[in-house]
Amino acid sequence: MDFGLVLQTDPPASSVVGLMRRAERNGFRYGWTFDSAVLWQEPFVIYSRILEHTRQMHVGPMVTNPGTRTWEVTASTFATLNDMYGNRTVCGIGRGDSAMRVAGRKPNTLARLGEAIGAIRDLAEGREAEVDGQRLKLPWVRDGKLPVWMAAYGPKALALAGQKADGFILQLADPFLTEWMVKAVRTAAVEAGRDPASVTICVAAPAYVGDDLGHAREQCRWFGGMVGNHVADLVARYGEHSGLVPEALTDYIKARQGYDYSHHGRADNPDTAFVPDEIVDRFCLLGPIEAHIEKLKALRDLGVDQFAVYAMHDAREAVIDAYGERVIPALS
């Protein structure tokens, strides 16, 4: 199992770079960041510094979207980083939550997302692609490689990930839901004539190491609120009891009343009081090292190839070091 670190690009950027360097020294192979231009600093500028100051780490957004940048700009940016640092990027992409909504736009449609996945990958790898009716090609790309991993929760999005993406990003660490969603992605891959094993499975969630479970929950409760934004979209689209989305995912948002993106992904988010302890425990990795290892082994047995640690809490360095010392060696 590979491991990644997920950060917000809060200033100073040097702190983000420093944490990524620390993560690589501890055995993390991937460095991910949020991508929301209004809320945080521009990640692609920071990726250049991370790549310059690491040797093997792959970097990318968790996740970008097809709406805030034109597709040829996204592809060219990735391709430039790859040319400079040797194909060490990965494009995490989704419909767009905070990046689109903060700017007053709706998330992209799945149809547009599906088109973008193919176009961005083709352009970044030196092939011709159609963008808004125009055939384009980046003539300077040589031997470029850009895997595109898609974030998804609902049945149609999971199917699209299986049909078109190189990887699937699931932003929660509940084994029951992971099994259900991985099966949906792999089934869609088979139906599309693809090898299901070719789709990399990445689970991303907060991890907090320590014996004070109450404090760990409070530091990670924000995650249930963030996931709740996507769940609310699913309920609006499919209904509460459609049978298309597991109630184990949708039931907890019944008390949700709204969401202020100025606190997005932060431990002090006041809009996450509706998230019960049970959801925090299910969606995150909390407690002593042994509990983390046990849950990660269960996820690995379900086909998870990478666990990406969201480190938006008060113990970032501690969790990086603890994973490097005990968790990563146990799962490698």
Side-chain angles (χ1 to χ4, degrees):
M1 178 182 277
D2 285 332
F3 286 83
L5 177 68
V6 190
L7 299 173
Q8 294 170 336
T9 51
D10 288 315
S14 58
S15 177
V16 178
V17 176
L19 287 167
M20 291 299 186
R21 294 180 69 187
R22 188 185 196 118
E24 185 181 57
R25 290 195 301 270
N26 276 282
F28 288 76
R29 293 191 59 234
Y30 286 78
W32 303 93
T33 74
F34 283 44
D35 178 19
S36 188
V38 174
L39 297 176
W40 302 289
Q41 292 186 330
E42 172 55 39
F44 285 92
V45 176
I46 299 172
Y47 296 156
S48 187
R49 295 290 289 174
I50 295 170
L51 290 166
E52 181 181 2
H53 290 285
T54 57
R55 299 182 64 183
Q56 296 181 328
M57 178 173 276
H58 289 64
V59 303
M62 189 174 284
V63 295
T64 193
N65 71 87
T68 52
R69 296 178 179 84
T70 60
W71 303 352
E72 70 273 18
V73 169
T74 299
S76 181
T77 304
F78 276 113
T80 301
L81 291 172
N82 283 336
D83 187 65
M84 293 172 68
Y85 300 105
N87 288 337
R88 289 167 54 201
T89 67
V90 56
C91 177
I93 195 167
R95 294 178 59 226
D97 178 34
S98 63
M100 297 297 287
R101 288 182 165 121
V102 166
R105 307 183 186 105
K106 293 182 179 180
N108 298 269
T109 65
L110 287 176
R112 184 166 176 80
L113 176 56
E115 292 174 5
I117 288 172
I120 291 169
R121 180 172 50 214
D122 285 344
L123 289 171
E125 294 186 349
R127 295 184 295 275
E128 187 177 86
E130 183 172 313
V131 179
D132 295 330
Q134 182 73 30
R135 300 299 298 182
L136 300 176
K137 184 177 181 180
L138 305 181
W140 49 268
V141 174
R142 298 290 182 273
D143 302 318
K145 185 66 177 176
L146 182 66
V148 181
W149 296 6
M150 179 183 158
Y153 291 107
K156 292 182 180 179
L158 294 168
L160 180 62
Q163 293 159 5
K164 295 193 174 185
D166 301 299
F168 163 50
I169 297 172
L170 173 58
Q171 291 162 308
L172 54 81
D174 176 68
F176 172 79
L177 293 171
T178 298
E179 182 176 18
W180 183 84
M181 293 185 186
V182 168
K183 181 179 179 181
V185 169
R186 287 179 168 165
T187 298
V190 171
E191 291 174 349
R194 304 179 68 196
D195 177 2
S198 69
V199 182
T200 302
I201 307 297
C202 174
V203 162
Y208 199 102
V209 178
D211 295 324
D212 188 344
L213 194 56
H215 180 73
R217 285 169 175 156
E218 291 311 310
Q219 287 294 304
C220 299
R221 198 175 303 276
W222 62 267
F223 185 66
M226 186 185 83
V227 174
N229 295 329
H230 303 285
V231 176
D233 286 345
L234 295 178
V235 170
R237 178 170 299 183
Y238 298 107
E240 289 188 32
H241 307 290
S242 64
L244 297 173
V245 182
E247 293 185 14
L249 178 61
T250 59
D251 277 352
Y252 85 97
I253 69 160
K254 291 178 180 178
R256 180 180 182 270
Q257 296 183 344
Y259 194 83
D260 181 353
Y261 279 92
S262 66
H263 303 284
H264 189 57
R266 300 191 184 278
D268 60 353
N269 191 331
D271 296 323
T272 59
F274 73 93
V275 180
D277 288 350
E278 177 199 2
I279 288 294
V280 183
D281 293 348
R282 280 173 46 202
F283 285 10
C284 304
L285 275 76
L286 312 175
I289 285 289
E290 292 76 15
H292 291 245
I293 293 173
E294 180 181 3
K295 192 168 188 179
L296 287 168
K297 285 182 175 179
L299 291 170
R300 184 181 61 182
D301 290 344
L302 294 173
V304 175
D305 300 297
Q306 179 184 153
F307 177 63
V309 176
Y310 276 101
M312 277 63 76
H313 50 56
D314 64 2
R316 297 184 300 180
E317 292 86 354
V319 77
I320 292 170
D321 293 346
Y323 264 61
E325 181 180 350
R326 298 278 303 279
V327 178
I328 293 176
L331 274 294
S332 296

